[in-house]
Amino acid sequence: MRTYHCFWLLFWAGQPHQSFLTPLSKRTSGFPEKEKILVLSGNSRRDLHRSKRSWMWNQFFLLEEYTGTDYQYVGKLHSDQDKGDGSLKYILSGDGAGDLFIINENTGDIQATKRLDREEKPVYILRAQAINRRTGRPVEPESEFIIKIHDINDNEPMFTKDVYNASIPEMSDVGTFVVQVTATDADDPTYGNSAKVVYSILQGQPYFSVESETGIIKTALLNMDRENREQYQVVIQAKDMGGQMGGLSGTTTVNITLTDVNDNPPRFPQSTYQFRAPESTPPDSPVGRIKANDADMDENAEIEYSITEGDGYDMFGITTDKDTQEGIITVKKALDFENKSLYILKVEATNTHVDPRFLYLGPFKDSATVRIQVEDVDEPPVFSRPAYIMEVKEDVPINSVIGTVTAQDPDAAKNPVKYSVDRHTDMDRVFNINSGNGSIFTSKPLDRETLLWHNITVIAAEINNPKQSSRVPVFIKVLDVNDNAPEFAMFYETFVCENAKAEQLIQTLSAVDKDDSYSGHQFSFSLAPEAASSSNFTLQDNRDNTAGIFTRKTRYNRHETSTYFLPVVISDNDYPIQSSTETVTIRVCACDHRGKMLSCNAEALIHPTGLSTGALIAILLCIIILLVTVVLFAALRRQRKKEPLIISKEDIRDNIVSYNDEGGGEEDTQAFDIGTLRNPEAIDDNKLRRDIVPETLFMPRRTAAARDNTDVRDFINQRLKENDTDPTAPPYDSLATYAYEGNGSVAESLSSLESVTTDGDQDYDYLSDWGPRFKKLADMYGTMDSDKDS
């Protein structure tokens, strides 16, 4: 230990030495029992010698959680330079100095002002110094000392978790590790047994136990079964002081779950199952469900079903529903009540995950019997084939039978069947079918070249229940017969040069045939008999379905003959032989020395890109039609400009007027001006009539004007006489009906209906004087008068 600038701590085992003690204002009475004195060495350059004392130390001890009312006494500082005259002043600095720890600057006594907790801070490091009160200079170098807090058992053990969760497999052996719990004590583990923890189980026996020192929880009971009990709650206690009386304790809860193991085999709740399935059930459709019970869970309860034996082994299948672990029985093939109505199956259920440790519990599988009853349903007729293919020659007569389809009712009743053709597949009604026996026959002529295949659908329906029907496709191929003559592959129009030489090839011909030849077409070409001897050209058959046209003479004159028409006969080699006569047009043209055409009579040959004769004729016709249209239009306009014979609305001669409605009476003067009847003198005789165009225009005759009071009857009679003698008058009369005559009319009412209601009798004898045109009216009204007179 250094002897320069350090503290010397002297601890007196007996009563405090009088020379080092100074009374305090407040002293603790209990602790420490022995006064602690920290002695400061002298402040000089020379070596310091310690005084003779019991021993020296630099550490104070203080008990935590002090419960007294006074300040707790810690110890005393004293310097060798302190003469007791109050010239020195003690200063304390460091952890808690001035707040938690205070010092009497005169005596050096240290006290704790507050209750201390070792768990918050177990050690305080402070520094002490003595200074001259007058000069303020230190008389001793600053020295460091420690105040250590003594621990008491004031903290109970605390578990790291409030609740522990653990799991172990069911059926575990005794002593199987479950979980380890841990509790900590905040007290000083180096001082006494305050922090020594011991574990014990308060709840959970006899199923589990805990090791007192480690806190490891283990199973204590054999063959714990999850199916009986799955959850356990264990309470563990941790107690300090080594578990002795008076120690503090804490508890925690441990939730323990037993996990499942495959210790239960599947078992069917019943030995036999009954299901029904209509025979119309389609394949892969479910028939029923069965389920084997398994007390396990998750993968340990997964079951696989299988059909092990039975007469329906190949007719039915079974699959597992992964969600419900049920066995779904399905139909694999079509059922037929008439063939078999009852199937018996043996179904087995097996665990997919087997634990070998529990095989001693028995086989992990079970079996049951399944009986499936097939129910009869009314089924539609069944055709003998899924499709029919028929062939027919195109030249067969109408109503010829080309084939037969057959369908039968599969039910036990064997109901009769009728046949028909789906007209949506035979819109032209080319074929028909016998409804009784299913024979198909033609109803119209066939033509292979128009349509090679006919695809129709035949319907078979039960007569007693037409809703039960089925369909079958029928493919009818039309076979070819040689009914088409060969013809040119194209229209041939060629030319020959005027300077051509004899035996010169001018055109090669080829032919086509709409018929189908299995061995290939073989055409023969020849000139028509009428042209064979007198023609200026020859024809050579190349025997390869082509022929060549050759010149027979040297030089041709287009001015003598500009065009030759060469008839060619084409024949095929099939039976019956068909032939046709085709014409080749040959024009004579002027050519150069190389045989290149220069000019021909046919403009189409001279100007290949120009207009043809037909186009020129069409253009000429269009021009003529346009000219005629213009001339007609001009004539109509000229005719409209001519002065009409009658242009005055006041012409008193009659018009033929057609009204689609009743009109406006005398007030309506648009179609007929009745002003003339009111004032006959207002006639303009110079105006011509508008309703006729006379062949010869006669000079209009002037007539004497009627008086204002002239009777309408006299006026009409006068006009009738004039029209009878006028050759320009039309050979007809017109009748204008007016519903309203207007106000102040000079003429009275002309209505024969109204005259009936008058008191006076009317005399219609004058109608007989009007001529043959009014004979009908004279007979009618004259007869009425005679009847009335009689």
Side-chain angles (χ1 to χ4, degrees), residues 595-757:
K596 183 177 181 181
M597 180 181 61
L598 297 178
S599 63
C600 291
N601 290 334
E603 293 297 328
L605 295 178
I606 299 175
H607 303 288
T609 60
L611 295 176
S612 64
T613 303
L616 292 175
I617 295 174
I619 294 174
L620 183 60
L621 288 176
C622 291
I623 294 174
I624 293 173
I625 293 172
L626 182 61
L627 290 175
V628 172
T629 303
V630 173
V631 171
L632 292 175
F633 182 77
L636 291 174
R637 289 181 59 86
R638 184 178 178 182
Q639 181 178 354
R640 290 179 181 177
K641 292 181 179 179
K642 289 184 179 181
E643 186 70 21
L645 294 177
I646 301 175
I647 61 176
S648 175
K649 296 181 181 179
E650 298 177 357
D651 195 336
I652 62 174
R653 280 178 286 188
D654 297 332
N655 297 336
I656 295 179
V657 181
S658 175
Y659 294 92
N660 291 329
D661 55 7
E662 296 182 358
E666 287 187 345
E667 299 299 327
D668 185 2
T669 60
Q670 297 297 323
F672 188 84
D673 190 359
I674 201 170
T676 305
L677 294 178
R678 298 175 180 172
N679 188 10
E681 294 180 355
I683 302 174
D684 187 1
D685 293 334
N686 294 327
K687 295 182 180 179
L688 301 178
R689 293 187 57 164
R690 294 172 294 174
D691 55 347
I692 60 173
V693 180
E695 296 180 356
T696 303
L697 294 177
F698 294 89
M699 293 299 294
R701 294 179 290 105
R702 300 183 60 84
T703 58
R707 298 187 305 273
D708 290 342
N709 57 356
T710 302
D711 190 89
V712 174
R713 181 176 61 182
D714 297 337
F715 171 76
I716 293 176
N717 289 329
Q718 180 182 353
R719 290 297 178 231
L720 285 174
K721 293 178 181 179
E722 291 176 358
N723 288 322
D724 289 339
T725 58
D726 187 2
T728 63
Y732 54 84
D733 294 324
S734 63
L735 177 63
T737 302
Y738 297 91
Y740 177 67
E741 297 181 0
N743 297 325
S745 175
V746 177
E748 297 178 357
S749 174
L750 300 180
S751 173
S752 61
L753 297 176
E754 184 179 354
S755 64
V756 176
T757 62

Side-chain angles (χ1 to χ4, degrees), residues 264-277:
N264 293 279
R267 292 292 180 263
F268 282 107
Q270 59 191 69
S271 60
T272 304
Y273 293 85
Q274 296 279 351
F275 296 106
R276 292 180 177 272

Side-chain angles (χ1 to χ4, degrees), residues 64-65 117-119 151-158 184-188 194-195 240 248-249:
E64 71 169 333
E65 302 296 342
D117 188 358
R118 189 200 67 84
E119 285 70 38
D151 181 53
I152 64 173
N153 190 18
D154 59 343
N155 292 279
E156 69 275 6
M158 299 293 293
T184 59
D185 196 319
D187 293 326
D188 188 1
S194 298
D240 60 10
L248 303 178
S249 63

